[in-house]
Amino acid sequence: MGFLAPWFLAGALAVGVPVWLHLLRQHKSVPLPFSSLMFFERRTQSSVKHRRLRYLLLLALRALLIVVLALAFSKPFTYMVPGLAGSGQKMVVIALDDSFSMRQGDRMERARSEALQLVGGIGAGNKAQVLAFSSGVRMMSDPTDDVAVLRAAISSIVPGDGRGSYAELTRALRSIAQSSRMPVEAHLFSDLQKSSLPSSFADVRLGDGIRLVTHPAATGEQPNFAVESVNAPRRVYDPKKVRIQATVVGYGAERGDLKVSVHLNNREIGSKTLSVPASGRATFDLTVPSLDAPHGFNRGEVRIESRDGFPGDDRYLFSIERADPRPALFVHETKGARSLLYFRAALEASTSSAFVIDAVRPEQAAGISPSRYAFILLSDVSSVPPAFEEALRKYVRAGGSLWIALGRAAAVRNRVPVFDENIAEAVYASRSQERFQTVAWLDPAHPSIRRANRWDGVKFYQVVRVEPGKARVAARLSDDTPLLLEKQVGEGRVLVFASTLDNISNDFPLHASFVPFIEQTSRYLGRIEESGASHTVGTFLELRTQKESGAAVEVLDPQGRRALSLEEAARAETIELASAGFYDVRRPSGRHELVAVNPDRHESDLAVIPAETLALWQNTGQGSKDANPAAGTGVQAGDERKPSSFWWYVMLSALILAVAESLVGNRHLNVEEPVERMEKGAA
């Protein structure tokens, strides 16, 4: 027993108050009227009689009430010893790790075998439940005492491709303990991989009433080589510009020389011997002089020769789409050839030019159909033929993209075509006096700036000030002039650059940020997705846009089965990539996509949880004080004590005593003693 506020026990000294009331305060003479005292003899009267305690029951109740109140305010508590492993019912949870790392060697076979042996010793009166976990938790059985059901559930668990998460397991155990209202004894069959722990240790706190018993499925540290990542182009427009990079890592492994090969459609297109340092990384770089691949999607793979007992991560999948460049229309004045030169050079300097440029003058654009172009750029155009401007409006409203660069020629108009915002003025700074404006603010979330968000040192000598209205401003100059603006028009978008691309109104083309700006903006306006060549198991893939809501999407998983039901195919907006391999996705717009999915490479690091960390994890639950993780039997039901307050019981006792004291006091003190004495004297 203990006290949270022991100083309140000093209040028990107030027990002297009722003693004073019942003893000392009674020595008090009550005057009585009498005729004469002349015949009375004077003598000393003894006070022993007056010091005698009276109303002993009332005194005891009052003293006990004061003691109980002092005890209550000191907040007493006692230690409770949980009996999880003793007698009484409990919920036994059998948790098997089915993450990707359990494919290594015979880990899963050992885990299943030990779990089957455990089922026979659960004990009468107890229930058990089987679950499998990796990045999520799957209940393989309901709580039951049927051994046959439990054995069947254990035998059905096979290792998958997901990443292990002990945080998800812990959340499931806490939920089971709360719903069952029984002590939980969780038996964990896992390789106890360190990378499966969350970044915050609080996420694996077991909670009250949960005892964790570990059954390691791995024996010691296992060195492992793996293909950690692959950097390959998502789309290839020029087969002579294909570069593939891969990173090979050795986890706890000694230095090794490994053969790395690249395969496309099950055909080797290049190989190289790579020296991987001890417990380090090395990069493989392959430039394919001519990619011999058919148009459409192609299945790629990087392989290393197997040097360990875990061949599952010796390959890394990616997909490459062979496509033809899309046409883009560049409209410029006769004097604007310099802008075309810089723009075309920037696109060709990118890693993979996705566009071919058709350049025309404004008078030649009247008979052109904009719908055949990925995007259209008006470069400092002084006038736009009315028929072409109307065609541009219809093109943008239907989902097309228009890019407008403004200069001295465009500033003669009062408004920006299609963008429909007024032109306030042309702002000019003298080059001879070295007066210029610089970029003061950029929106790093805008696709045109995301990868080239530093425009330091770029000088703008002339800009056209446009009233932004409801447009989004993505860049501003030092005098607060909007430099880059975007507006949604119907289903399409219009982008305005308030200067030129010709190295006259600015020196932007001479800076390193110009090429990524042109490339990113072109891809953004051309609606070319920047998705990678591969994805990770457990991530989600977007299936449709809001405009495509209700249209069916067909998805085939790596085994060639339909991954969506009929209802999901019509309504699902995303799909979880749950297994490694190639997903075949056919979208409502007619787009076809081959998605390569690989296991999370955190699973390739086979280092186990340190013994002290495992002991801390087990000690966050009840009955786990004497944990011995190295023995494999987990924790023993020990003498871990938990403080349990009984404050309310003490307060209830005080209330009962107060009522009893009131009743007894009314019984003894309801008649005035002086009156009784006067009546006796008169008699």
Side-chain angles (χ1 to χ4, degrees):
M1 180 174 172
F3 299 95
L4 295 177
W7 287 105
F8 278 98
L9 292 175
L13 297 177
V15 74
V17 174
V19 174
W20 176 74
L21 290 174
H22 285 254
L23 180 62
L24 300 180
R25 194 166 178 260
Q26 290 185 18
H27 187 65
K28 184 176 182 181
S29 298
V30 179
L32 297 175
F34 199 79
S35 59
S36 176
L37 301 176
M38 60 182 299
F39 297 107
F40 283 83
E41 180 181 357
R42 181 183 297 274
R43 64 186 180 90
T44 304
Q45 185 179 7
S46 176
S47 62
V48 174
K49 181 178 179 181
H50 298 286
R51 295 175 184 176
R52 187 179 61 190
L53 288 170
R54 302 181 64 186
Y55 311 123
L56 296 181
L57 178 60
L58 182 60
L59 171 63
L61 290 175
R62 288 175 173 176
L64 188 59
L65 177 60
I66 292 176
V67 172
V68 171
L69 285 176
L71 182 67
F73 279 97
S74 64
K75 296 183 179 180
F77 66 90
T78 184
Y79 286 104
M80 302 294 294
V81 179
L84 293 181
S87 59
Q89 290 187 344
K90 61 185 175 182
M91 175 67 69
V92 179
V93 177
I94 302 172
L96 273 78
D97 184 355
D98 66 348
S99 63
F100 180 65
S101 62
M102 292 294 287
R103 293 178 179 267
Q104 200 273 344
D106 60 347
R107 295 186 175 190
M108 180 54 75
E109 288 74 12
R110 293 182 56 187
R112 280 197 299 254
S113 176
E114 291 188 27
L116 290 173
Q117 293 177 8
L118 175 69
V119 169
I122 291 178
N126 297 323
K127 290 187 177 181
Q129 186 174 13
V130 179
L131 59 85
F133 75 95
S134 54
S135 57
V137 176
R138 294 178 294 118
M139 302 298 175
M140 306 301 294
S141 72
D142 294 327
T144 180
D145 55 1
D146 191 334
V147 175
V149 173
L150 298 174
R151 289 181 179 273
I154 294 172
S155 300
S156 65
I157 299 176
V158 295
D161 297 321
R163 179 183 177 183
S165 173
Y166 296 128
E168 293 295 329
L169 171 65
T170 304
R171 275 191 282 269
L173 293 178
R174 291 198 297 259
S175 177
I176 292 174
Q178 184 177 6
S179 60
S180 66
R181 297 185 179 181
M182 298 171 60
V184 172
E185 184 175 280
H187 291 263
L188 173 60
F189 298 87
S190 170
D191 54 6
L192 300 178
Q193 198 172 18
K194 182 179 179 180
S195 61
S196 297
L197 285 174
S199 57
S200 174
F201 192 77
D203 293 337
V204 291
R205 183 184 179 277
L206 294 170
D208 298 338
I210 302 176
R211 175 184 173 224
L212 180 64
V213 183
T214 58
H215 302 264
T219 55
E221 299 290 339
Q222 299 289 332
N224 182 39
F225 288 101
V227 183
E228 186 178 40
S229 63
V230 171
N231 183 16
R234 185 70 179 92
R235 293 178 180 87
V236 173
Y237 301 96
D238 186 355
K240 297 181 181 179
K241 293 183 178 181
V242 180
R243 184 183 181 187
I244 299 173
Q245 291 179 312
T247 301
V248 180
V249 60
Y251 294 103
E254 298 179 354
R255 179 187 177 279
D257 295 330
L258 304 177
K259 178 185 177 182
V260 184
S261 57
V262 180
H263 299 256
L264 198 64
N265 299 326
N266 293 323
R267 182 174 58 87
E268 184 177 316
I269 61 174
S271 63
K272 181 181 178 181
T273 299
L274 188 65
S275 180
V276 182
S279 299
R281 290 173 173 81
T283 301
F284 167 85
D285 196 334
L286 175 67
T287 301
V288 181
S290 179
L291 184 67
D292 184 13
H295 280 71
F297 285 93
N298 298 269
R299 303 183 179 218
E301 182 179 351
V302 174
R303 303 175 187 172
I304 60 174
E305 57 179 324
S306 182
R307 290 282 188 89
D308 49 60
F310 192 17
D313 56 6
D314 292 342
R315 53 198 293 264
Y316 199 99
L317 306 179
F318 64 94
S319 65
I320 290 181
E321 181 185 5
R322 174 76 186 278
D324 293 326
R326 301 175 60 189
L329 184 63
F330 192 98
V331 183
H332 65 98
E333 298 286 356
T334 305
K335 298 181 180 180
R338 185 188 291 264
S339 296
L340 175 61
L341 174 65
Y342 282 114
F343 183 81
R344 180 172 283 161
L347 281 183
E348 292 176 352
S350 61
T351 56
S352 180
S353 179
F355 305 97
V356 292
I357 305 301
D358 291 344
V360 297
R361 290 188 294 274
E363 59 272 14
Q364 297 173 332
I368 294 178
S369 174
S371 59
R372 61 182 294 261
Y373 292 101
F375 68 91
I376 297 174
L377 193 155
L378 303 181
S379 177
D380 194 18
V381 176
S382 59
S383 63
V384 179
F388 184 59
E389 182 175 354
E390 184 62 27
L392 286 177
R393 289 183 183 276
K394 295 180 180 179
Y395 164 72
V396 173
R397 290 195 184 104
S401 299
L402 177 63
W403 186 357
I404 303 174
L406 302 177
R408 286 175 293 180
V412 299
R413 298 193 303 267
N414 295 326
R415 66 176 180 84
V416 183
V418 185
F419 192 73
D420 289 335
E421 296 294 346
N422 295 330
I423 295 177
E425 60 178 332
V427 181
Y428 180 75
S430 173
R431 184 192 296 264
S432 59
Q433 299 179 14
E434 295 184 353
R435 294 169 55 198
F436 52 83
Q437 297 289 335
T438 58
V439 177
W441 177 81
L442 291 171
D443 181 3
H446 194 276
S448 297
I449 306 171
R450 190 174 300 146
R451 286 173 48 200
N453 59 354
R454 297 192 62 84
W455 292 6
D456 297 343
V458 180
K459 302 179 180 64
F460 289 88
Y461 307 107
Q462 179 181 356
V463 293
V464 177
R465 183 169 294 166
V466 178
E467 296 178 359
K470 297 182 179 180
R472 172 187 179 183
V473 178
R476 290 184 182 273
L477 296 177
S478 52
D479 64 348
D480 207 35
T481 299
L483 178 63
L484 188 65
L485 306 93
E486 181 185 353
K487 179 189 283 189
Q488 190 79 18
V489 179
E491 297 293 333
R493 52 180 69 119
V494 181
L495 191 73
V496 172
F497 183 66
S499 191
T500 61
L501 308 173
D502 57 5
N503 192 28
I504 296 177
S505 297
N506 57 71
D507 66 348
F508 195 13
L510 304 182
H511 290 263
S513 55
F514 182 74
V515 171
F517 169 70
I518 295 297
E519 179 189 7
Q520 289 178 134
T521 305
S522 299
R523 287 180 171 271
Y524 173 60
L525 296 177
R527 301 182 186 273
I528 296 180
E529 300 176 358
E530 295 186 358
S531 59
S534 62
H535 297 258
T536 303
V537 171
T539 58
F540 287 83
L541 180 70
E542 185 178 354
L543 296 178
R544 68 181 85 243
T545 61
Q546 294 182 352
K547 185 174 64 175
E548 298 170 337
S549 178
V553 180
E554 185 176 2
V555 180
L556 301 180
D557 66 11
Q559 288 73 38
R561 301 186 299 261
R562 294 184 182 274
L564 299 174
S565 64
L566 292 177
E567 182 179 359
E568 292 172 338
R571 297 184 179 181
E573 296 182 357
T574 59
I575 182 175
E576 183 181 6
L577 305 174
S579 57
F582 291 96
Y583 282 78
D584 192 354
V585 182
R586 298 173 185 177
R587 304 180 187 274
S589 60
R591 290 179 296 153
H592 174 70
E593 186 175 358
L594 189 66
V595 180
V597 183
N598 294 280
D600 194 317
R601 284 308 188 250
H602 286 90
E603 287 289 302
S604 297
D605 187 355
L606 303 179
V608 299
I609 302 175
E612 58 273 14
T613 304
L614 185 59
L616 286 174
W617 181 19
Q618 292 173 320
N619 285 335
T620 58
Q622 285 190 2
S624 56
K625 186 175 181 179
D626 300 326
N628 184 13
T633 57
V635 298
Q636 306 295 328
D639 55 353
E640 180 185 358
R641 301 186 301 169
K642 177 187 175 183
S644 176
S645 174
F646 53 93
W647 180 83
W648 285 105
Y649 300 101
V650 179
M651 286 300 297
L652 181 61
S653 301
L655 178 61
I656 295 174
L657 288 172
V659 173
E661 187 274 342
S662 178
L663 294 176
V664 174
N666 289 336
R667 179 180 178 182
H668 285 291
L669 305 176
N670 59 352
V671 179
E672 294 185 4
E673 185 176 355
V675 176
E676 294 179 354
R677 292 183 178 181
M678 289 177 65
E679 291 176 351
K680 292 180 179 179

